[in-house]
Amino acid sequence: ETGVTQTPRHLVMGMTNKKSLKCEQHLGHNAMYWYKQSAKKPLELMFVYNFKEQTENNSVPSRFSPECPNSSHLFLHLHTLQPEDSALYLCASNLGQGGTEAFFGQGTRLTVV
Amino acid sequence: AQSVTQPDIHITVSEGASLELRCNYSYGATPYLFWYVQSPGQGLQLLLKYFSGDTLVQGIKGFEAEFKRSQSSFNLRKPSVHWSDAAEYFCAVVGNTGKLIFGQGTTLQVKP
């Protein structure tokens, strides 16, 4: 148990569906991150939020839409995904500037059919 | 730009043998360095970290790592590997923006 909780753990969705991934932390962290982990590829940083403000978007397609309503919650809204978007989506949090370790959730295994 | 290189994509060792996983980083200032482990289908668990001070750091599960500034390395070691150590290992660096940069990962297989 790392203190970062992701739901759901598994998700199967069609290409025309809309779904959301949720991440929650009560560690007092200010920064939250979405990573994508595909088979045989390195971890890809998708989005970074610091104090609820998006500070980084690594050229992620618009079919992925993040939302950070407060420092404890982070969402990833999904719509009209492609099969190649199937991956493990990991959420992480840390204190942001100052360089402390990140704590990761268990991930959501997404399958797009 | 900050970057992390893990030269070995896949390593196989026999149970009971020693292990060293390599990590090289690129960062101008003193880096914050981490090793994470990931079991299949799971998130990443922190093994150990280096911020400053003693360059040999101890972590969980009997792992240690040594920071060598002259070689820009932060190699992970374990004197005697157990079958349960089979997993994927990630080295990471954090710059002063707080963003984690990961290496490509090394998959460890343990032979009985």
Side-chain angles (χ1 to χ4, degrees):
Chain A
E1 179 57 53
T2 64
V4 180
T5 304
Q6 287 187 244
T7 53
R9 292 292 311 277
H10 301 273
L11 177 62
V12 178
M13 60 185 287
M15 289 190 282
T16 58
N17 291 160
K18 288 186 181 180
K19 296 286 184 184
S20 295
L21 310 186
K22 180 182 176 182
C23 177
E24 186 173 355
Q25 58 90 9
H26 296 288
L27 301 169
H29 291 166
N30 305 315
M32 296 187 78
Y33 308 79
W34 279 118
Y35 286 87
K36 176 183 178 182
Q37 188 178 33
S38 305
K40 302 190 190 313
K41 286 188 180 179
L43 277 161
E44 301 171 51
L45 179 63
M46 300 174 73
F47 302 103
V48 181
Y49 278 82
N50 272 287
F51 294 98
K52 303 187 299 177
E53 299 298 320
Q54 187 180 122
T55 56
E56 188 155 342
N57 175 340
N58 279 332
S59 303
V60 181
S62 60
R63 57 187 185 268
F64 295 91
S65 174
E67 179 190 1
C68 190
N70 53 61
S71 292
S72 298
H73 294 86
L74 183 66
F75 296 89
L76 188 63
H77 303 300
L78 316 171
H79 64 98
T80 59
L81 294 192
Q82 305 298 312
E84 60 264 30
D85 297 321
S86 298
L88 182 67
Y89 289 84
L90 291 164
C91 173
S93 70
N94 70 0
L95 285 172
Q97 279 190 305
T100 65
E101 67 267 34
F103 292 80
F104 281 80
Q106 299 269 53
T108 295
R109 171 67 62 186
L110 174 67
T111 304
V112 181
V113 297
Chain B
Q2 301 152 29
S3 65
V4 177
T5 302
Q6 292 179 245
D8 305 305
I9 302 299
H10 191 276
I11 281 185
T12 300
V13 299
S14 297
E15 191 168 15
S18 64
L19 171 70
E20 182 169 33
L21 302 183
R22 295 184 290 164
C23 173
N24 294 98
Y25 66 89
S26 171
Y27 184 63
T30 300
Y32 298 140
L33 293 159
F34 308 88
W35 275 100
Y36 285 85
V37 62
Q38 184 182 31
S39 298
Q42 300 295 315
L44 276 67
Q45 181 185 19
L46 181 68
L47 279 177
L48 46 77
K49 61 189 178 187
Y50 172 78
F51 285 172
S52 64
D54 193 347
T55 56
L56 184 64
V57 293
Q58 304 296 321
I60 61 172
K61 305 185 182 189
F63 285 93
E64 67 178 26
E66 187 171 12
F67 170 60
K68 293 186 177 180
R69 183 188 301 276
S70 61
Q71 298 176 20
S72 297
S73 69
F74 187 58
N75 294 348
L76 182 71
R77 300 194 294 249
K78 186 169 184 177
S80 177
V81 169
H82 188 262
W83 65 266
S84 60
D85 294 324
E88 190 155 18
Y89 292 81
F90 293 92
C91 181
V93 65
V94 170
N96 56 9
T97 61
K99 187 175 72 175
L100 266 175
I101 306 295
F102 284 91
Q104 290 189 305
T106 298
T107 301
L108 173 65
Q109 185 177 0
V110 180
K111 291 190 303 184

Short mmCIF file of all heavy atoms in Angstrom, two decimals, chain A residues 12-17 81-83 86 111-113:
data_model
loop_
_atom_site.label_atom_id
_atom_site.label_comp_id
_atom_site.label_asym_id
_atom_site.label_seq_id
_atom_site.Cartn_x
_atom_site.Cartn_y
_atom_site.Cartn_z
N VAL A 12 -12.08 -2.59 -19.72
CA VAL A 12 -12.18 -2.94 -21.13
C VAL A 12 -13.20 -1.99 -21.74
O VAL A 12 -14.31 -1.84 -21.20
CB VAL A 12 -12.63 -4.40 -21.31
CG1 VAL A 12 -12.77 -4.71 -22.80
CG2 VAL A 12 -11.65 -5.36 -20.64
N MET A 13 -12.82 -1.32 -22.80
CA MET A 13 -13.75 -0.38 -23.41
C MET A 13 -13.68 -0.45 -24.92
O MET A 13 -12.63 -0.77 -25.50
CB MET A 13 -13.48 1.05 -22.94
CG MET A 13 -12.12 1.60 -23.23
SD MET A 13 -11.87 3.23 -22.48
CE MET A 13 -12.90 4.27 -23.52
N GLY A 14 -14.82 -0.14 -25.54
CA GLY A 14 -14.87 -0.08 -26.99
C GLY A 14 -14.34 1.25 -27.48
O GLY A 14 -14.19 2.20 -26.71
N MET A 15 -14.06 1.31 -28.75
CA MET A 15 -13.45 2.52 -29.31
C MET A 15 -14.38 3.72 -29.29
O MET A 15 -13.93 4.86 -29.38
CB MET A 15 -12.94 2.24 -30.73
CG MET A 15 -11.74 1.33 -30.75
SD MET A 15 -10.96 1.22 -32.36
CE MET A 15 -12.07 0.11 -33.18
N THR A 16 -15.69 3.48 -29.13
CA THR A 16 -16.62 4.61 -29.12
C THR A 16 -17.04 5.00 -27.70
O THR A 16 -17.80 5.94 -27.52
CB THR A 16 -17.88 4.28 -29.94
OG1 THR A 16 -18.48 3.11 -29.39
CG2 THR A 16 -17.53 4.05 -31.40
N ASN A 17 -16.55 4.27 -26.72
CA ASN A 17 -16.94 4.54 -25.33
C ASN A 17 -16.24 5.77 -24.77
O ASN A 17 -15.22 6.24 -25.29
CB ASN A 17 -16.57 3.35 -24.43
CG ASN A 17 -17.41 2.12 -24.69
OD1 ASN A 17 -17.03 1.02 -24.34
ND2 ASN A 17 -18.56 2.30 -25.32
N LEU A 81 -10.93 5.99 -28.04
CA LEU A 81 -9.57 5.46 -28.01
C LEU A 81 -9.33 4.47 -29.14
O LEU A 81 -10.28 3.98 -29.78
CB LEU A 81 -9.28 4.79 -26.67
CG LEU A 81 -9.26 5.69 -25.44
CD1 LEU A 81 -8.69 4.93 -24.26
CD2 LEU A 81 -8.49 6.96 -25.67
N GLN A 82 -8.07 4.17 -29.37
CA GLN A 82 -7.64 3.22 -30.38
C GLN A 82 -7.07 1.98 -29.69
O GLN A 82 -6.62 2.05 -28.54
CB GLN A 82 -6.56 3.86 -31.26
CG GLN A 82 -6.99 5.18 -31.91
CD GLN A 82 -8.17 4.98 -32.83
OE1 GLN A 82 -8.16 4.06 -33.65
NE2 GLN A 82 -9.20 5.81 -32.70
N PRO A 83 -7.04 0.86 -30.40
CA PRO A 83 -6.48 -0.35 -29.78
C PRO A 83 -5.04 -0.17 -29.28
O PRO A 83 -4.67 -0.76 -28.27
CB PRO A 83 -6.55 -1.39 -30.91
CG PRO A 83 -7.72 -0.94 -31.73
CD PRO A 83 -7.69 0.57 -31.69
N SER A 86 -4.20 0.60 -25.60
CA SER A 86 -4.23 -0.44 -24.56
C SER A 86 -2.87 -0.46 -23.86
O SER A 86 -1.82 -0.55 -24.52
CB SER A 86 -4.51 -1.80 -25.19
OG SER A 86 -5.77 -1.81 -25.82
N THR A 111 -7.79 -2.07 -21.73
CA THR A 111 -7.84 -2.79 -23.00
C THR A 111 -8.91 -2.15 -23.87
O THR A 111 -10.06 -2.02 -23.45
CB THR A 111 -8.18 -4.28 -22.78
OG1 THR A 111 -7.22 -4.85 -21.89
CG2 THR A 111 -8.16 -5.03 -24.10
N VAL A 112 -8.51 -1.71 -25.05
CA VAL A 112 -9.43 -1.09 -25.99
C VAL A 112 -9.74 -2.11 -27.08
O VAL A 112 -8.82 -2.62 -27.74
CB VAL A 112 -8.82 0.18 -26.61
CG1 VAL A 112 -9.81 0.83 -27.58
CG2 VAL A 112 -8.41 1.16 -25.52
N VAL A 113 -11.03 -2.38 -27.24
CA VAL A 113 -11.43 -3.42 -28.22
C VAL A 113 -12.24 -2.80 -29.36
O VAL A 113 -12.73 -1.67 -29.26
CB VAL A 113 -12.24 -4.53 -27.54
CG1 VAL A 113 -11.39 -5.25 -26.50
CG2 VAL A 113 -13.51 -3.97 -26.90
#
